[in-house]
Amino acid sequence: MSTLNFPLTLLILGLLLGCSRPPEETPQPESNPIKSVSLIPEPDVESPAPRPRSLPPTVFQDSDGSVRLSPLTAQLNGEGLDLNEWDQIIGFKNRDQRVLWQAHLSAPGTYQVEVDTICTGPTQEARMRVYVGDNRFSEENIQLSENDQTLETTSLGEITLDAPQEFRVEIEMVGLPLIGKFAVSEIRLIPLGENASSLPRFKTDDGVTEGK
């Protein structure tokens, strides 16, 4: 290497050495620690109590004093119960199934319990029990129908009721036909005697009848 070029070479080396710097380390972001989820189980929260089953709409007496309980105003309790295309209750299979109505009586007295049903079969095996209030009921075997479209009326007995007040009316099948069709179309409470007059009609303490 010539002596003329030596200083130039040193100058170039110096420039190169002065410009080259070790790469600065990139600052690491501060760690943001994640709080660990507690393994301690949370105390059991009591599940809300099931809502009480709402009652069906209240059915009031007609002008002649009778109470007509239609499937459309009933509450069907039990798997399998349903309404067919004629709004009749079908699907009775066991005694766990109940049909419930809410009836308001304005006139006290004795009422005959009637039911309209379709019941086909070779023998009279279907037996219905009707509860009115807490501890009163009547029951009877259901009349057979001539065919699977004919309604038959069965009288299930008589029940004496106080009024005015509301009653829960429930039906339970304590016997069912082994074969054939069974459907409930309507339940009625028919007033007997003086209570068959139009409403309102009440007797006072001195025996005087008031009302229409």
Side-chain angles (χ1 to χ4, degrees):
M1 180 181 300
S2 66
T3 56
L4 293 177
N5 293 334
F6 182 74
L8 181 59
T9 303
L10 291 176
L11 178 60
I12 294 174
L13 288 175
L15 291 175
L16 291 176
L17 291 176
C19 293
S20 63
R21 294 180 180 178
E24 296 182 357
E25 295 183 358
T26 305
Q28 297 294 327
E30 295 183 0
S31 61
N32 186 13
I34 300 175
K35 294 182 180 179
S36 61
V37 179
S38 174
L39 299 180
I40 301 176
E42 296 183 358
D44 293 335
V45 178
E46 294 184 1
S47 58
R51 294 182 179 179
R53 186 185 295 273
S54 59
L55 292 175
T58 301
V59 180
F60 294 86
Q61 290 178 268
D62 292 338
S63 59
D64 62 356
S66 63
V67 180
R68 299 179 178 273
L69 304 175
S70 160
L72 296 177
T73 57
Q75 181 184 93
L76 308 182
N77 300 324
E79 184 178 357
L81 290 180
D82 202 353
L83 300 183
N84 62 14
E85 60 269 34
W86 296 285
D87 293 329
Q88 299 166 341
I89 305 172
I90 58 173
F92 289 95
K93 297 178 181 178
N94 53 60
R95 296 187 63 173
D96 294 332
Q97 299 165 312
R98 296 293 183 93
V99 181
L100 171 66
W101 288 270
Q102 187 86 348
H104 179 86
L105 296 186
S106 299
T110 301
Y111 291 80
Q112 179 172 281
V113 183
E114 292 182 350
V115 58
D116 291 340
T117 59
I118 294 176
C119 182
T120 62
T123 58
Q124 199 173 24
E125 296 168 318
R127 188 173 183 86
M128 179 183 289
R129 178 178 295 179
V130 178
Y131 298 88
V132 182
D134 295 329
N135 52 13
R136 284 161 289 195
F137 70 88
S138 61
E139 67 176 72
E140 189 55 78
N141 291 332
I142 300 299
Q143 297 294 324
L144 292 177
S145 302
E146 294 182 1
N147 54 60
D148 61 2
Q149 296 181 351
T150 301
L151 288 172
E152 291 292 337
T153 299
T154 303
S155 175
L156 301 174
E158 300 175 1
I159 291 182
T160 301
L161 302 171
D162 296 327
Q165 63 177 297
E166 291 191 356
F167 294 91
R168 290 165 59 96
V169 181
E170 266 187 301
I171 63 173
E172 172 194 4
M173 294 306 302
V174 296
L176 286 167
L178 297 177
I179 59 176
K181 177 181 179 180
F182 183 77
V184 176
S185 180
E186 185 178 80
I187 297 281
R188 289 182 299 279
L189 303 180
I190 308 296
L192 300 177
E194 294 182 5
N195 295 295
S197 57
S198 59
L199 294 177
R201 189 178 180 87
F202 304 97
K203 281 194 174 183
T204 62
D205 294 338
D206 56 5
V208 177
T209 300
E210 296 181 349
K212 296 181 180 180

